[in-house]
């Protein structure tokens, strides 16, 4: 038995991430690895640091499979908002957007508007630090950073397409990659897989738009690709045993079936691991989650697919300052408003009678692709220069003024601009559907979108929501299953050596208080200044008292509701995770 430990976690209820029943044990950590798990108490005098965990849970660190931390990890690599909630690994490069191949300005412009992060902060950082233009250079840069959590990455198709074709042609709906360009794309994707990146992320939904002045409001480059181009890249992923992540075209939900078919072996080829966003009960599309999950199970069980839908374990509550929110990209009138940068220009547009009628009609339209329910009766005003409006819905204000709610919304934006802060829940409003979806075999837990939409949403604490479902009076699942779905299942599916608390494994560990978890309202609203982005106030989660310690690579990164002084400064916490090569 090992007799020396850097950290000894004593008498906690240990969940190993395999789905096995927990057991009370001591966990010893040395040189970044778990070296002992003993039901017999270990000698605390042999440890440099002791964490008393009697009455607490000890679990593998949580894995966040869907973030957009691509810019933040270059600016503030500690990623404290995730670490404080027990996240020890984050995936970047989602939804076709990565910062691997394209030059600084192109990488910025395909990222900032989509993810609602101010371009004026991101562009100077990229222009200063981005010296790489290929996966090898990106991997080396990640390895040079003082990362907080571990980082795994996809190569984004929009990034890849832009780097090879140039942004001008990458967003030209009539342009097609030449043979040489396709060969170059395949070469870079092969290099990405060789460097341990997870695979390719793509985007077929046309609502996400390019920032900047050169091609402002063009859709992301990935959306302009033909299925011929996709099939060629998918074929490479299939041959290499890599992974595809994407988002369906929400104007044509049948598009998701093509992804399921792409994943399937069909008895004649290798299956392609594919994960899509998202398995969610959406107010605007009731029942779509049931249909999508049923389709995924059909393809997985009978057609040899390896298809997973990313599922969030909490209400999808969002916030907006005036009209600054991505849901308005869903319809042309909203897109026209977001195309304009200056408030003066927007207000002039909002005052135009022709535009106002167009906005009203498109807001009222119930057919076609949409995620937002477009119901201002379900939109509460949280803050406003006029205090009499706070706490009321926009529809209430419209009735008082005797005007249509869509037009009153435009008037309120003219009157108060971004000072009009309002909120709604887009999906996951039914707790019973959340429970069903999180137990579905086609689900994989994730889709926090951490690092994006800083003023619009905060799901950094998704892992706590998941575990809370297991400690309720009527639990959605056993605690060990909830832990497994957050950790070991994800590590195994993505072929990464993480997610399990076993001897010899990297010591990514969470110590948490299940009683505090049970009694805490995880949905409390909070904001915090993002100092590295000029003090921008971002929406965060604050659930102090639940997470007692977060260990990453055997180092205590978070304890007693505070970060380690070295987090984001020293290189002994997270590391760049290279995916295991597949035969």
């Amino acid at each position: 038995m090992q007799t020396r430990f850097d950290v000894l976690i004593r008498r906690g209820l240990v969940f190993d991430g395999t789905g096995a029943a927990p057991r009370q044990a001591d966990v010893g950590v040395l040189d970044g690895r778990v070296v002992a798990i003993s039901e017999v108490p270990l000698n605390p005098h042999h440890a440099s640091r002791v964490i008393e965990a009697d009455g607490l849970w000890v679990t593998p660190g949580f894995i966040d499979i869907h973030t957009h931390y691509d810019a933040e990890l270059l600016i503030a690599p500690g990623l404290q908002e995730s670490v404080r909630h027990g996240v020890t690994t984050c995936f970047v490069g989602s939804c076709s957007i990565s910062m691997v191949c394209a030059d600084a300005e192109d990488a910025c412009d395909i990222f900032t508007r989509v993810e609602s992060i101010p371009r004026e902060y991101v562009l100077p950082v990229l222009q200063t630090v981005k010296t790489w233009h290929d996966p090898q250079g990106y991997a080396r840069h990640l390895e040079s950073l003082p990362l907080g959590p571990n980082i795994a990455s996809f190569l984004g198709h929009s990034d890849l397409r832009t780097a090879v074709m140039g942004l001008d042609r990458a967003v030209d709906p009539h342009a097609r990659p030449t043979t040489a360009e396709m060969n170059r794309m395949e070469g870079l994707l092969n290099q990405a897989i060789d460097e341990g990146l997870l695979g390719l992320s793509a985007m077929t939904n046309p609502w996400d738009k390019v920032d900047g002045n050169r091609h402002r409001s063009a859709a992301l480059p990935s959306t302009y690709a033909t299925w011929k181009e996709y099939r060629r890249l998918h074929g490479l992923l299939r041959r290499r045993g890599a992974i595809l992540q994407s988002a369906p075209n929400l104007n044509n939900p049948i598009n998701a079936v093509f992804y399921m078919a792409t994943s399937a072996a069909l008895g004649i080829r290798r299956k392609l691991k594919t994960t899509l966003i998202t398995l969610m009960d959406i107010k605007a599309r009731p029942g779509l989650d049931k249909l999508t999950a049923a389709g995924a199970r059909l393809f997985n069980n009978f057609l040899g697919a390896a298809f997973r839908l990313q599922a969030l374990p909490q209400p999808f509550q969002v916030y907006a300052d005036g009209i600054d929110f991505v849901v308005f990209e869903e319809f042309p009138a909203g897109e026209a408003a977001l195309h304009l940068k200056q408030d003066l220009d927007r207000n002039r547009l909002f005052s135009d009678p022709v535009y106002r009628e167009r906005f009203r009609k498109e807001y009222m339209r119930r057919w076609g692709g949409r995620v937002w329910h477009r119901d201002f009766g379900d939109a509460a005003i949280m803050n406003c220069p006029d205090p009499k409006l706070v706490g009321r819905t926009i529809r209430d204000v419209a009735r008082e003024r005797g005007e249509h709610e869509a037009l009153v919304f435009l008037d309120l934006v003219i009157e108060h601009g971004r000072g009009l802060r309002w909120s709604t829940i887009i999906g996951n409003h039914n707790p019973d559907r959340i429970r069903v979806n999180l137990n579905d075999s086609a689900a994989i837990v994730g889709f926090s979108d951490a690092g994006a939409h800083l003023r619009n949403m905060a799901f950094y604490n998704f892992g706590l929501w998941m575990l809370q479902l297991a400690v309720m009076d009527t639990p959605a699942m056993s605690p060990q299953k909830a832990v497994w779905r957050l950790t070991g299942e994800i590590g195994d599916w993505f072929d990464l050596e993480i997610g399990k608390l076993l001897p010899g494994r990297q010591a990514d560990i969470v110590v948490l208080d299940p009683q505090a978890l049970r009694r805490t309202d995880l949905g409390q609203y909070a904001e915090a200044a993002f100092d590295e982005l000029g003090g921008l106030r971002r929406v965060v989660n604050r659930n102090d008292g639940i997470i007692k310690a977060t260990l990453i690579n055997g180092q205590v990164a978070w304890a007693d509701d505070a970060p380690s002084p070295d987090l984001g400064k020293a290189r002994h916490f997270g590391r760049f995770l290279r995916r295991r090569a597949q035969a």
Side-chain angles (χ1 to χ4, degrees), residues 496-512:
L496 294 169
E497 291 283 352
I498 54 173
K500 293 178 182 173
L501 208 171
L502 299 170
R505 289 294 190 103
Q506 180 169 314
D508 297 332
I509 304 172
V510 174
V511 181
L512 65 94

Side-chain angles (χ1 to χ4, degrees), residues 195-206:
E195 290 294 327
L197 272 68
L198 300 167
L200 184 73
S201 72
M203 171 62 66
T204 58
N205 187 44

Side-chain angles (χ1 to χ4, degrees), residues 342-454:
Q342 303 300 321
D343 290 345
L344 183 63
D345 294 330
R346 288 184 178 183
N347 290 347
R348 187 179 298 115
L349 180 69
F350 297 159
S351 300
D352 179 77
V354 175
Y355 174 83
R356 289 168 68 86
E357 180 60 15
R358 176 187 173 197
F359 185 92
R360 184 191 68 81
K361 287 182 176 179
E362 292 178 7
Y363 166 84
M364 292 294 294
R365 185 179 300 148
R366 294 296 179 260
W367 50 268
R370 61 194 179 105
V371 169
W372 178 36
H373 46 69
R374 300 183 199 171
D375 178 4
F376 280 131
D378 187 7
I381 298 172
M382 297 178 59
N383 202 1
C384 185
D386 182 352
K388 297 190 299 296
L389 300 182
V390 175
R392 305 176 67 188
T393 70
I394 293 171
R395 179 175 293 161
D396 288 339
V397 178
R399 286 173 175 167
E400 183 179 90
R401 296 188 179 187
E403 295 279 354
H404 190 276
E405 60 196 57
L407 302 182
V408 168
F409 171 73
L410 294 178
D411 290 338
L412 290 172
V413 175
I414 293 172
E415 294 165 17
H416 305 295
R418 294 174 179 83
L420 175 73
R421 187 153 178 80
W422 56 279
S423 176
T424 190
I425 294 178
I426 285 179
N428 274 3
H429 50 292
N430 182 342
D432 291 335
R433 289 305 310 159
I434 294 177
R435 289 165 169 257
V436 169
N437 287 339
L438 290 173
N439 277 293
D440 199 294
S441 62
I444 193 162
V445 177
F447 189 52
S448 80
D449 245 18
H453 309 290
L454 301 181

Side-chain angles (χ1 to χ4, degrees), residues 55-57 461 464-465 467-469 471-472 511-524 542-548 561:
L56 305 179
W57 288 3
N461 64 349
L464 300 183
W465 281 88
L467 295 183
Q468 192 177 67
L469 290 170
V471 298
M472 302 174 73
V511 181
L512 65 94
D513 184 344
Q515 296 305 316
L517 174 67
R518 179 183 173 91
R519 64 175 178 262
T520 299
D521 176 6
L522 298 176
Q524 298 177 75
R542 289 292 178 266
N543 310 126
D544 292 351
I546 299 176
I547 299 294
K548 297 302 182 181
D561 297 320

